[in-house]
Amino acid sequence: MGVIFYQMLTGMFMFSVDRTTRRQDAMSALYERIKEGTWSWPSNIEIGLSTFDFLNQTMQHDPVNRPAWTEMRNHQIFTSG
């Protein structure tokens, strides 16, 4: 959910590699980035703290630490008016 939300907010892929990288090397590099679970937010796009909190919760590397569907649905970004 976090990856999709990130892409919706930025219009960019969360995990990507340089377009000049050979296909096989790119696939390996992409796999490693996803496996590491590290990501950053583009400095030219501003978001609120609750949005960043939602992304941070849903992008936890260990799936056990990610929120359940009901927790995501009840997050402040969806419930505050």
Side-chain angles (χ1 to χ4, degrees):
M1 182 60 120
V3 172
I4 294 168
F5 197 62
Y6 180 96
Q7 189 169 1
M8 288 171 53
L9 292 170
T10 65
M12 298 181 280
F13 292 109
M14 180 173 263
F15 302 104
S16 60
V17 293
D18 187 341
R19 289 180 180 260
T20 61
T21 307
R22 283 189 20 229
R23 187 177 195 287
Q24 186 61 36
D25 294 339
M27 294 302 289
S28 296
L30 185 58
Y31 174 75
E32 286 302 315
R33 289 186 181 151
I34 292 169
K35 193 169 77 171
E36 290 170 4
T38 55
W39 60 281
S40 60
W41 186 258
S43 60
N44 63 330
I45 299 175
E46 293 184 22
I47 58 172
L49 289 176
S50 61
T51 303
F52 188 78
D53 179 64
F54 179 79
L55 281 168
N56 201 35
Q57 287 181 27
T58 56
M59 290 305 303
Q60 292 298 308
H61 186 62
D62 185 348
V64 172
N65 296 327
R66 294 181 204 145
W69 171 246
T70 54
E71 292 171 300
M72 285 189 277
R73 186 181 63 200
N74 293 324
H75 191 278
Q76 180 183 3
I77 64 169
F78 300 117
T79 59
S80 66

